[in-house]
Amino acid sequence: MPRIAGVDVPDKKKILYALQYLHGIGPKFAADILAEANIEPDTKANELTEQQIAQLNGVIDSGYLVEGALRRQVQQNIQRLRDIRSYRGDRHRNGLPTRGQRTRCNARTRKGKKKTVAGKKGVKG
């Protein structure tokens, strides 16, 4: 398994798809990186030479925010929103959706497992 930007990527896949296993690299960035490094997108990851892997690492390190640095930046952005007490920061703090989605139904991904609240008993009569 070749290590690119500190992450083991699958070696049996084409390098275009293997690069997308890095956090922060999608289809467009993967294609851009390969074009900049002059590597054929159809090449399998295990067929890359050491020089090509070094070239990929150089391109990624010089121009792209990936893995730990990207995760850290996202967390800092969320923390900044919390610190300035913005509406979005309060939504992050309460574990609710931050982009205007409704919460009356759905929103289970953000709210977590259902917490059943005891309701009014049925009226007998």
Side-chain angles (χ1 to χ4, degrees), residues 7-124:
V7 176
D8 289 331
V9 295
D11 52 354
K12 288 195 168 70
K13 291 189 184 288
K14 292 180 180 179
I15 191 62
L16 179 69
Y17 302 108
L19 277 178
Q20 294 176 37
Y21 279 74
L22 284 115
H23 180 72
I25 294 182
K28 184 195 180 311
F29 280 163
D32 292 349
I33 290 167
L34 291 173
E36 199 174 326
N38 295 324
I39 296 174
E40 197 63 38
D42 294 335
T43 310
K44 295 275 174 102
N46 59 0
E47 295 170 2
L48 292 175
T49 64
E50 290 297 320
Q51 183 186 1
Q52 288 176 318
I53 292 174
Q55 204 172 8
L56 279 176
N57 281 327
V59 170
I60 290 170
D61 289 343
S62 67
Y64 295 91
L65 204 58
V66 293
E67 288 300 320
L70 178 61
R71 291 178 206 273
R72 199 168 22 262
Q73 187 185 53
V74 169
Q75 282 306 312
Q76 286 172 347
N77 290 342
I78 291 171
Q79 191 57 48
R80 180 181 53 81
L81 290 171
R82 287 178 173 177
D83 291 343
I84 64 174
R85 301 283 302 177
S86 69
Y87 177 78
R88 276 175 55 206
D90 288 341
R91 301 293 283 184
H92 274 292
R93 185 178 288 112
N94 295 331
L96 294 169
T98 58
R99 296 185 177 181
Q101 296 94 330
R102 63 183 290 132
T103 57
R104 187 168 179 177
C105 60
N106 298 335
R108 275 290 142 219
T109 305
R110 281 293 290 170
K111 289 166 70 174
K113 231 169 141 40
K114 234 184 240 182
K115 302 170 202 82
T116 307
V117 177
K120 203 162 89 172
K121 294 255 179 170
V123 181
K124 288 188 179 176

